[in-house]
């Protein structure tokens, strides 16, 4: 039973990714020519934490169909509530830094190579997704369950790892309802997100239901297990649809960096003078540099290039590490936890961004420095806000007047 549940997680893992670039595969063989669509439309259950980028591939279609549409419907919704996700962003190369913070699903979705990409998923994105055509033909369907991470727990670095039996132990939430059991399924620990300095390991636990009375139209590797927010779970179980909570576990770690040729002392001095090095025990590392300008007072999200949800990602501000255990010490993830957060999709989130957030941010990928982002946060006036209404306007005016008076006094003194 445990092996089947682990196979189900492995099957879903490739669907969760971080998209910075999307290229066609080298193999040009038409995979749709040898794969027939099912005669009876069913829905593949996919569960993921909020904040990640999800890819839903259209696994089958008729060879004569050259383009597809994706249809979305909320769980338990009527047919009138079904919406079509068009080729809104198909011709654009989007990354998560260009996706707006919006509750509108169409502004965060893109169709590429017949696959549907949903950036920065949220609980409101849970529902039924169907790959079809403009002629209302339906080829393949998904049952997506996005679970918000509300609980976070920290364990010491040397704590013994729990066995698979303990990880998949069923936790019944209703002793009076023996028809179903609710448990948390944890994914494997990531690698240590830093080398040479203290780092962290994380893993996500998603909510699942085991029952013999799940809806047969929803396909799973294990027919008796589905995610808590899945449409396969009967309403009679009393589980709130869309209210399933995921868990995040964090533990400390420290590993040594692989040996590499030490840089020259002149290069070390030059890099340190310009502040171009991320914090690494082995010295400065040549990483790509990105420049980003964003207005203050808005939610800002930084993504690490090439990162995926199953990778180990860490963030530094200059040479100071940003630890989850420090910024989320309250044990919860939300607006009140911390203004600066690292979400389940490994994004660095500012809620909101302020002028003092301007600086150099370095991201680590799989324990190695991966990129450097030079962030400039500037004041933005708009939306009916005038310059004089800003709270710092009186201070700025007084500073300018004082400087003007001082310069005038010096000029008069020199003239006399």
């Amino acid at each position: 039973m445990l092996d089947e549940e682990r196979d189900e997680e492995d099957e879903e893992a490739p669907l969760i990714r971080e998209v910075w670039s999307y290229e066609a595969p080298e193999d040009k063989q038409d995979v749709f020519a040898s794969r027939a669509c099912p005669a009876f439309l069913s829905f593949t259950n996919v569960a993921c934490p909020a904040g990640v980028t999800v890819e839903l591939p259209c696994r089958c279609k008729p060879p004569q169909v050259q383009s597809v549409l994706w249809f979305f419907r909320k769980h338990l919704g009527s047919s009138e509530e079904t919406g079509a996700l068009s080729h809104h962003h198909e011709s654009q190369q989007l990354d998560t830094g260009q996706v707006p913070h919006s509750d509108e699903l169409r502004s965060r979705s893109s169709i590429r190579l017949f696959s549907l990409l949903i950036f920065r998923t949220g609980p409101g994105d849970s529902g039924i997704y169907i790959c079809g055509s403009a002629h209302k033909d339906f080829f393949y369907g998904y049952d997506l369950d996005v679970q918000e991470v509300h609980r976070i727990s920290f364990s010491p670095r040397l704590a013994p790892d729990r066995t698979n039996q303990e990880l998949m132990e069923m936790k019944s939430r209703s002793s009076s309802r023996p028809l179903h059991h609710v448990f948390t399924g944890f994914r494997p620990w990531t690698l240590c997100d830093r080398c040479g300095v203290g780092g962290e390991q994380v893993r996500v636990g998603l909510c699942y239901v085991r029952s013999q009375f799940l809806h047969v139209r929803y396909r799973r590797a294990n027919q008796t297990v589905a995610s808590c927010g899945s449409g396969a779970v009967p309403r009679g179980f009393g589980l709130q649809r869309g209210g399933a909570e995921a868990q995040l576990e964090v533990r400390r770690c420290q590993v040594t960096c692989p040996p590499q040729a030490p840089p020259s002392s002149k290069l070390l001095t030059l890099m340190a003078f310009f502040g171009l090095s991320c914090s690494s025990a082995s010295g400065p590392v040549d990483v790509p540099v990105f420049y980003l300008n964003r207005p203050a007072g808005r939610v800002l999200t930084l993504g690490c290039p090439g990162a995926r949800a199953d990778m180990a990602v860490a963030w530094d501000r200059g040479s100071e590490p940003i630890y989850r255990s420090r910024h989320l010490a309250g044990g919860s993830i939300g607006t009140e936890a911390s203004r600066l957060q690292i979400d389940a999709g490994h994004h660095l989130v500012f809620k909101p961004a302020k002028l003092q957030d301007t600086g150099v941010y370095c991201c680590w990928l799989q324990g190695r420095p991966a990129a450097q982002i030079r962030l400039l946060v500037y004041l933005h006036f708009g939306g009916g806000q005038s310059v004089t209404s800003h709270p710092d306007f009186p201070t700025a005016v007084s500073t300018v007047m004082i400087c003007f008076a001082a310069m005038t006094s010096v000029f008069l003194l020199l003239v006399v």
Side-chain angles (χ1 to χ4, degrees), residues 256-331:
T256 58
C257 294
Q260 60 180 3
S264 63
S265 58
K266 293 183 179 180
L267 179 60
L268 285 173
T269 305
L270 184 62
M271 296 289 288
F273 176 78
F274 288 103
L276 299 178
S277 60
C278 299
S279 58
S280 173
S282 59
V285 180
D286 186 15
V287 295
V289 180
F290 300 89
Y291 296 88
L292 187 64
N293 301 329
R294 288 294 182 268
R298 301 180 182 178
V299 178
L300 171 63
T301 301
L302 301 182
C304 189
R308 297 195 305 267
D310 57 345
M311 288 184 173
V313 181
W315 289 91
D316 298 341
R317 178 171 183 174
S319 59
E320 180 182 358
I322 301 175
Y323 292 113
R324 295 175 176 85
S325 56
R326 181 180 306 170
H327 290 270
L328 298 174

Side-chain angles (χ1 to χ4, degrees), residues 364-383:
W364 299 65
L365 189 59
Q366 297 293 83
R368 300 294 296 169
Q372 183 183 112
I373 300 177
R374 295 180 171 272
L375 175 64
L376 173 62
V377 181
Y378 59 89
L379 289 177
H380 176 73
F381 300 100

Side-chain angles (χ1 to χ4, degrees), residues 149-202:
V149 178
H150 289 291
R151 289 185 295 173
I152 182 171
S153 59
F154 304 94
S155 58
R157 178 167 58 96
L158 299 178
D161 200 3
R162 290 180 289 181
T163 62
N164 290 337
Q165 181 64 30
E166 292 173 336
L167 293 179
M168 302 301 297
E169 180 182 2
M170 292 185 302
K171 301 177 181 179
S172 177
R173 298 182 181 177
S174 180
S175 58
S176 60
R177 292 181 179 271
L179 299 180
H180 75 281
H181 295 277
V182 181
F183 63 93
T184 301
F186 286 91
R187 293 180 177 175
W189 287 99
T190 63
L191 300 177
C192 194
D193 56 13
R194 294 175 176 88
C195 70
V197 295
E200 293 177 333
Q201 290 179 282
V202 298

Side-chain angles (χ1 to χ4, degrees), residues 1 6 45 54 87 123 151 168 174 192 240 272 324 342 360 395:
M1 181 70 68
R6 183 63 61 188
N45 181 223
V54 175
H87 302 262
R151 289 185 295 173
M168 302 301 297
S174 180
C192 194
Q240 183 180 0
R324 295 175 176 85
I342 302 178
V360 179
T395 304

